[in-house]
Each structure stands twice: as C-alpha cells, then as structure tokens.
Amino acid sequence: AQAILGQASVHPVIVAQRGACPPTVDRMARLFGLALAALLGPSAALLVERRANATAAFTVNDKVYVDGSLYAESAALGDNVGCHEHKGTSSFKVCGCGVKVVAHLMTECQTYKKYDTQIGTCDCASSACDEKTLSSGYSSSFNWQAASFEISPC
C-alpha cells in the first residue's frame, strides 16, 4: 500500500478504508453519541409523555383534591399533568374516571417500595370519588405523608 501511494507515513488501516475516519475518531464519535443519548433520553421521553398527556381530554367530573382542598379540575387538569412537590399530606381524593393521582413518599415522584399509592379508579362505570388517607404499618397503623404526587390521565 505504501508503494502505491508513494508515502511512507500513511497508516495501512487508513489506506484500506478510504474516506473512513481513523478508529480513534470513530470511537470518540460513538462515545459522544452514547453520552448525548443518555443525557437526552429521559428528557426526550418526558417531553413525549407530556405532549401525549397534554392532548388528554378531561371532563367536568374530573377533580383532584389534595389535603382537603380542590387542587385542579376539568380542563385545568391538562395544565397540571405531571409531578408536583408538596409539603406533606396524607389526604387525597380523586373524582371522575379520566384522572388518577399517584402519591409518593419521596420527592420528585420517586418510587419507594410500598409507599406509592394510586388514588382514582379510572372506572367510568362508577360515579363515586376515590378518597384515601395514606397509611401503613404491620401491628399498628400510622399515616404517612406524601412529599410529591403525580397527576395523569387514565
């Protein structure tokens, strides 16, 4: 290969792969692509999920109560889809079959064993509201407080 090109400094791999990047540049590009995908992957997935949830149609019957107060209802639920931080409460109530809430013990809607509770049945055959006080315990029951909760369409 060196005799053909008349250059003693050309690497044989580069000659064999005319127009291809040297192996170190190719490896760096792959690593950069993997790092970029790892960084943008969760964000891109969250963006797609938010766009999908933004098109959900809530009815006038759909209501979310947090700590005894109305948090969001009907069309306003579309603006509240996603994770919300809270100072801590044990009381949640969901009315309607088009919305549900998942209460989390951890912040940022992180899951933690059995301390994730869904409120809302997503059953349009029932008109009853689903009301829960978050509690746990083996021998004696105690109330636990959610640090975050997630609103999503059914």
Side-chain angles (χ1 to χ4, degrees), residues 17-67:
Q17 300 176 351
R18 283 191 181 156
C21 293
T24 54
V25 173
D26 189 39
R27 238 180 276 144
M28 286 174 48
R30 273 193 236 140
L31 286 174
F32 178 75
L34 288 173
L36 189 61
L39 290 173
L40 294 180
S43 298
L46 184 60
L47 181 62
V48 169
E49 180 183 343
R50 283 187 179 163
R51 284 184 183 165
N53 289 341
T55 61
F58 296 103
T59 69
V60 294
N61 297 325
D62 297 326
K63 298 176 184 176
V64 172
Y65 294 85
V66 178
D67 204 17

Side-chain angles (χ1 to χ4, degrees), residues 68-133:
S69 299
L70 181 64
Y71 188 83
E73 64 180 327
S74 62
L77 284 165
D79 297 331
N80 288 287
V81 169
C83 185
H84 304 276
E85 300 291 321
H86 196 271
K87 66 184 182 318
T89 183
S90 297
S91 173
F92 289 90
K93 180 175 157 183
V94 173
C95 300
C97 64
V99 64
K100 65 181 176 180
V101 169
V102 177
H104 299 276
L105 175 69
M106 307 290 282
T107 60
E108 299 175 358
C109 295
Q110 298 176 61
T111 60
Y112 182 71
K113 300 182 183 181
K114 63 180 178 181
Y115 295 102
D116 299 308
T117 302
Q118 178 177 318
I119 304 98
T121 59
C122 297
D123 180 14
C124 292
S126 172
S127 61
C129 295
D130 186 20
E131 188 169 3
K132 290 189 181 171
T133 300

Side-chain angles (χ1 to χ4, degrees), residues 114-115 135-143:
K114 63 180 178 181
Y115 295 102
S135 63
S136 187
Y138 295 108
S139 56
S140 61
S141 182
F142 64 93
N143 290 348

